[in-house]
Amino acid sequence: MKFIALARSVCAHHPSLREITGPLQVRCFQHDFVPRDPKTKPIKYKYPLYYDPYGPRAPPSEKIIELAERIAALPPEERSQIGSALGYKLKHPKLQPISTEGMDLGSQGGEAAAAKVEEKKEKTAFDVKLEKFDAAAKIKVIKEVRAFTNLGLKEAKDLVEKVPCVLKQGVTKDEANGIIEKIKAAGGVAVME
């Protein structure tokens, strides 16, 4: 439909074809374009043995070579101090450690070492777990559970009935021992984890 309308408008004005298509035709060749000879082979470039992003550099000066030789002659203890001394002298900012909190870094040797160190630390928070109780002493055990937890009668009864269960979490060692003694006196068996 659009084509027919275009043809009618062209015929109505009777302009020449060159006037219609003139601005639409553009040659994309450069003015000095020379077509490639089909018989020529592609150019082979010599690539360096290793990639140097800075390109070719001038060789170091005699002063730098002498300095490098003096550094190489130093004992290893003094060589290890060069980096920090240069950083101080040139006033470079100290590098801050990067936090990896919340990142999944996969299994690494550092984590295993950190876990071993944590295991060596003394545990400060304990959980008290009710293992079992005497059926005749069920009511006494429920009363003791209500005493050190702020549970109602129904909640304490439900908790005691689903043994083994954790009665209290994150308590100190002394507090955990006190709870275990009270449960033992009431007729139950509790352990500290």
Side-chain angles (χ1 to χ4, degrees):
M1 292 300 225
K2 292 181 180 180
F3 181 74
I4 295 171
L6 179 65
R8 285 184 184 157
S9 66
V10 169
C11 292
H13 300 288
H14 298 294
S16 68
L17 187 61
R18 184 170 199 130
E19 291 175 9
I20 297 171
T21 58
L24 300 177
Q25 291 181 348
V26 177
R27 295 196 178 258
C28 295
F29 296 118
Q30 296 175 355
H31 64 281
D32 60 344
F33 176 75
V34 179
R36 188 173 67 89
D37 184 16
K39 295 178 182 174
T40 59
K41 293 184 179 179
I43 300 171
K44 290 190 177 182
Y45 295 99
K46 289 186 178 180
Y47 293 106
L49 295 175
Y50 59 91
Y51 175 70
D52 186 8
Y54 303 107
R57 295 183 215 159
S61 65
E62 290 295 322
K63 194 175 184 182
I64 299 297
I65 292 173
E66 181 186 330
L67 183 63
E69 288 173 358
R70 286 180 57 196
I71 289 172
L74 290 174
E77 301 86 33
E78 292 179 4
R79 245 187 283 153
S80 65
Q81 298 171 0
I82 291 175
S84 58
L86 269 176
Y88 176 75
K89 195 72 174 172
L90 298 174
K91 298 178 181 167
H92 283 263
K94 288 188 177 180
L95 296 177
Q96 300 296 325
I98 297 173
S99 173
T100 57
E101 186 176 322
M103 291 186 211
D104 183 21
L105 301 176
S107 61
Q108 295 180 344
E111 283 185 26
K116 287 181 183 178
V117 171
E118 288 179 14
E119 287 176 12
K120 290 181 182 179
K121 291 181 182 177
E122 189 174 329
K123 194 173 179 182
T124 55
F126 298 93
D127 298 340
V128 179
K129 185 176 182 181
L130 179 65
E131 291 289 324
K132 57 184 177 179
F133 61 91
D134 188 23
K138 182 177 178 181
I139 296 172
K140 292 180 184 177
V141 172
I142 293 172
K143 285 182 181 178
E144 286 301 324
V145 169
R146 284 189 67 202
F148 61 82
T149 61
N150 296 325
L151 297 175
L153 182 62
K154 185 178 184 314
E155 291 88 8
K157 181 178 177 259
D158 291 342
L159 185 67
V160 169
E161 286 178 347
K162 59 179 180 179
V163 288
C165 61
V166 177
L167 297 177
K168 197 152 186 178
Q169 294 179 337
V171 294
T172 62
K173 191 172 187 177
D174 296 333
E175 190 178 348
N177 286 331
I179 292 170
I180 290 171
E181 291 299 320
K182 288 178 183 176
I183 296 287
K184 189 176 182 181
V189 176
V191 293
M192 181 172 34
E193 293 181 335

